Amino acid sequence: MAVTVRAESRDGSLLILAELRPEQRGFHLYSLTLPNGGVDGIGIPTRIRTEGSLRATGPATTDAKPRALRPAGLDVSLPVYEDGPVTLELPVRRVEGTDSARVFLTYGACSETAGCLPPVRDHEVPLQLGSAG
């Protein structure tokens, strides 16, 4: 999974934008709506959080199109996103401190025919804010 993270000011608000792009054909990123324990213990929900000089002011969202995926050999339907990159948007505010923050991403991906990739938990991405906020 390729991951890029940046801060962006939009309409007076500060957002963290995290793009997650499956690098293997046919793999789909798990949805933000996947329950914390997965479905029957299968799957890991996509999550984003910050530490350092940023605090979330609302939940993460995406405009990626959801769909149900039924992996071969498993009797479950998993909420994932359509093919292609998925951009998460997390509204944040700056707090006093340094111009650096850390963004943590938790994610996984599954395919209908090639199984599921190992989950990634709390992948840390350092972020220099500069004048972004």
Side-chain angles (χ1 to χ4, degrees):
M1 184 85 56
V3 175
T4 58
V5 176
R6 71 182 193 280
E8 180 179 296
S9 291
R10 188 185 304 159
D11 299 325
S13 296
L14 183 60
L15 297 170
I16 297 300
L17 302 175
E19 182 184 89
L20 297 109
R21 187 174 2 93
E23 295 180 298
Q24 292 177 272
R25 188 171 190 77
F27 280 83
H28 302 269
L29 183 71
Y30 290 120
S31 170
L32 289 166
T33 63
L34 185 68
N36 283 333
V39 175
D40 292 341
I42 299 170
I44 182 171
T46 299
R47 298 287 186 257
I48 181 173
R49 65 183 178 85
T50 60
E51 287 184 3
S53 60
L54 293 176
R55 297 292 179 270
T57 60
T61 60
T62 184
D63 62 0
K65 302 289 185 235
R67 65 171 286 231
L69 181 134
R70 294 187 61 83
L74 298 176
D75 190 26
V76 296
S77 180
L78 302 171
V80 298
Y81 294 113
E82 290 287 342
D83 284 337
V86 173
T87 300
L88 306 176
E89 293 187 5
L90 181 67
V92 296
R93 66 177 172 83
R94 287 183 84 155
V95 295
E96 290 186 32
T98 67
D99 283 342
S100 64
R102 296 181 300 162
V103 176
F104 294 89
L105 295 158
T106 295
Y107 57 88
C110 214
S111 164
E112 288 173 320
T113 58
C116 299
L117 299 176
V120 175
R121 297 180 194 277
D122 289 326
H123 171 73
E124 181 179 344
V125 180
L127 188 63
Q128 283 301 120
L129 299 174
S131 62

